[in-house]
């Protein structure tokens, strides 16, 4: 273990093998650091926090501090983070608000500088938060979602798997899986995240099925219940089934479609 002499390590902390902790870093409370974690200079990891193996926490990042929630009364809450995650400069991840509640981050995520994950939020695997992206309390972000710079995800809102938020966009309604928002808009879907689907290895056939399903959901001017019935009846693709299940379970409603003159 390479621990700089100026680092401050609480006696409660459990350190995995080959952990490195840089100058003036602080590790405080019931923290568990997995094998080969690296904490950069002036980083802070605190509270009831579990950090998986091979994670990197860069300068000025703060993981596990109190939630920014006026209802918080000092409850014993948690942060659970998986393996191979990167937290760049100034990232903040806050613990849950209520007793024994949890903020969770999966594996292989990249949180770029000054992004924020609030209390009780959950990020899946392979999620990317670009610079300045803000995930509010209790929000859920699915696997392989890409949240671009300065995007805003409202509390309790869901972002589906392989969805992409374009720069500066905001959602207060659920963003369905595989869909993409338009920059500098709120609650607007502009189409499918085609590039993300290709990179994820989704086949031409499955992408075509999703395109047909998207058209039924957003372009054919059906009522919500009619569109859901069509998706259920007309498709057997697992991806369309996932899309249908997500939108059917939405409690906040889903983002609406950006219509143009070409859509009639």
């Amino acid at each position: 273990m390479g621990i700089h002499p100026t680092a401050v390590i609480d006696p409660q902390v459990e350190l995995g093998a080959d952990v490195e902790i840089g100058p003036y870093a602080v590790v405080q409370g019931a923290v568990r650091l997995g094998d080969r974690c690296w904490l950069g200079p002036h980083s802070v990891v605190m509270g009831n926090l579990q950090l998986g193996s091979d994670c990197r926490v860069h300068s000025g990042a703060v993981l596990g501090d109190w939630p920014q929630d006026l209802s918080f009364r000092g409850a014993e809450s948690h942060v659970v983070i998986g393996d191979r995650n990167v937290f760049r400069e100034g990232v903040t991840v806050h613990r849950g608000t209520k007793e024994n509640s949890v903020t969770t981050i999966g594996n292989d995520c990249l949180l770029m500088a000054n992004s924020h994950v609030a209390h009780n939020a959950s990020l899946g695997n392979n999620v990317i938060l670009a610079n300045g992206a803000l995930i509010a309390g209790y929000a859920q972000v699915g696997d392989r979602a890409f949240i671009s710079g300065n995007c805003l995800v409202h509390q309790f809102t869901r972002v589906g798997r392989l969805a992409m938020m374009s720069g500066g966009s905001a959602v207060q309604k659920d963003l369905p899986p595989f869909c993409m928002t338009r920059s500098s808009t709120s609650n607007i879907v502009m189409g499918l995240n085609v590039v993300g689907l290709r990179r994820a290895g989704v086949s031409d056939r499955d992408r075509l099925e999703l395109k047909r399903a998207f058209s039924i959901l957003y372009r054919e001017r059906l009522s919500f219940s009619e569109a859901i019935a069509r998706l259920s009846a007309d498709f057997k693709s697992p991806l369309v089934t996932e899309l249908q299940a997500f939108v059917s379970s939405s409690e906040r409603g889903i983002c609406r479609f950006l219509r143009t003159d070409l859509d009639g």
Side-chain angles (χ1 to χ4, degrees):
M1 290 186 295
I3 299 178
H4 195 275
T6 61
V8 180
I9 313 296
D10 193 305
Q12 300 180 70
V13 173
E14 298 180 27
L15 300 180
D18 302 316
V19 168
E20 295 185 40
I21 301 178
Y24 303 102
V26 176
V27 188
Q28 177 185 359
V31 172
R32 294 171 57 192
L33 299 182
D35 296 345
R36 298 172 300 280
C37 283
W38 178 88
L39 306 187
H42 298 280
S43 58
V44 178
V45 180
M46 62 188 298
N48 297 313
L49 182 142
Q50 177 179 324
L51 189 64
S53 62
D54 300 293
C55 291
R56 294 182 62 88
V57 183
H58 287 251
S59 299
V62 179
L63 310 183
D65 206 344
W66 283 12
Q68 296 177 134
D69 185 340
L70 292 175
S71 69
F72 181 68
R73 295 292 183 269
E76 290 294 319
S77 54
H78 306 268
V79 175
V80 176
I81 298 171
D83 302 330
R84 298 175 301 279
N85 295 292
V86 177
F87 303 89
R88 293 306 303 256
E89 299 81 357
V91 166
T92 50
V93 178
H94 290 164
R95 69 194 219 195
T97 294
K98 297 179 180 179
E99 191 78 26
N100 292 322
S101 65
V102 185
T103 302
T104 60
I105 295 176
N107 302 319
D108 302 294
C109 298
L110 169 59
L111 280 67
M112 298 186 196
N114 299 315
S115 58
H116 172 66
V117 179
H119 60 90
N120 303 99
S122 65
L123 272 58
N125 301 318
N126 300 100
V127 172
I128 295 176
L129 303 186
N131 301 67
L134 307 178
I135 309 300
Y138 298 95
Q140 301 175 35
V141 180
D143 294 349
R144 300 184 72 98
F146 192 113
I147 313 298
S148 297
N150 297 318
C151 285
L152 309 176
V153 178
H154 192 271
Q155 61 187 11
F156 295 100
T157 300
R158 298 183 302 158
V159 176
R161 185 170 75 92
L162 273 167
M164 179 175 181
M165 292 184 65
S166 297
S169 59
V171 289
Q172 298 89 32
K173 294 184 179 295
D174 292 345
L175 174 60
F178 322 119
C179 293
M180 184 173 180
T181 64
R182 184 181 179 91
S183 290
S184 302
T185 62
S186 294
N187 300 321
I188 295 293
V189 167
M190 62 183 296
L192 291 174
N193 180 18
V194 176
V195 173
L197 290 166
R198 286 186 183 134
R199 289 176 177 171
V202 176
S203 68
D204 292 346
R205 178 177 179 180
D206 282 338
R207 293 202 308 272
L208 181 60
E209 288 284 274
L210 282 173
K211 185 177 180 180
R212 291 177 52 216
F214 183 92
S215 181
I216 290 171
L217 183 61
Y218 280 116
R219 293 181 181 272
E220 296 192 8
R221 301 182 185 274
L222 301 173
S223 69
F224 185 74
S225 58
E226 289 172 336
I228 295 300
R230 284 279 304 277
L231 294 181
S232 180
D234 294 358
F235 297 91
K236 302 301 181 185
S237 164
L239 297 185
V240 177
T241 299
E242 180 179 343
L243 175 66
Q244 184 265 336
F246 183 97
V247 298
S248 296
S249 63
S250 177
E251 297 180 358
R252 300 183 63 84
I254 63 172
C255 294
R256 68 186 191 278
F257 180 55
L258 176 67
R259 296 192 177 276
T260 68
D261 292 340
L262 297 177
D263 296 305

